Amino acid sequence: MARKHFGGTLTGFVIGLLVGLGIALSVAVYVTRVPVPFVDRGVSRKPAQDVEEAERNKGWNPNAGLATSPATVPPPVVIPDPAPAPVVAAPAGSPAAGKPVAPQPATPPTQADPLGELMRSRTGAANGAAPPAGAPAADPFTYFVQAGAFRAPEEAEAQRARLAMLGMAADISEREQSGRAVFRVRIGPFNQKAMADATLEQLEINGVEAALVRVQR
């Protein structure tokens, strides 16, 4: 009984082994005969297939997918021509009549000079007024604007530097007063009292104490 059981097991094992070998052989034959993608494609191709593929790819453009479609192309930008300069007609009868005249560049505005305007208004030069009849030909005095008298020369130098920052040139003169040296800071001389008054007014506007000094010529 044991021998029959052992013989049946051995027989089944052999049959299973043979069946497995047959299946493996069949798979191997199938694999060797079926073309492998990307490897055996060129092996099994025929000349007729190459001709057909060449005809099919004759009009192929590799950059067709990268080209921009006509609908997405931006319209061209048109830059208008600059407007022509206006032509100014010359007066009738002038030599330039009938010929275009180019426009002249605008004259830049002049910078304001408040001190100069004030002086001209005081002297009458701004309005072109002539001196009244019977007035003396010249003023017998010379005028100075004194911006302080100091005991130390350093103080006088500091005052002159302050006036220089305001655009006014001053001189320092030394004089003895009550037995002590005094350093005077003066602007001038002015031949006309109106110019001296304008300078004095300008100093007062800037907070500088000053006085008008008159000297006989």
Side-chain angles (χ1 to χ4, degrees), residues 49-192:
Q49 295 178 348
D50 295 336
V51 174
E52 292 179 2
E53 186 175 356
E55 288 294 333
R56 188 168 55 253
N57 297 333
K58 183 179 295 184
W60 177 65
N61 184 9
N63 298 320
L66 301 178
T68 306
S69 59
T72 59
V73 176
V77 179
V78 180
I79 301 177
D81 296 334
V87 179
V88 180
S94 62
K99 297 182 180 179
V101 180
Q104 300 296 329
T107 304
T110 57
Q111 297 182 355
D113 185 6
L115 181 58
E117 292 292 340
L118 182 60
M119 290 183 177
R120 285 192 294 269
S121 63
R122 290 296 180 86
T123 57
N127 299 326
D139 195 334
F141 299 99
T142 301
Y143 300 91
F144 292 88
V145 177
Q146 183 168 312
F150 305 90
R151 297 180 180 180
E154 293 80 6
E155 297 177 354
E157 288 290 345
Q159 182 71 348
R160 182 168 66 173
R162 180 183 179 185
L163 297 178
M165 294 180 63
L166 297 177
M168 300 180 183
D171 296 324
I172 299 176
S173 59
E174 183 180 356
R175 184 178 181 181
E176 185 177 350
Q177 184 177 353
S178 301
R180 296 180 180 180
V182 177
F183 299 90
R184 302 176 301 185
V185 181
R186 289 185 174 183
I187 303 173
F190 299 98
N191 293 326
Q192 297 179 2

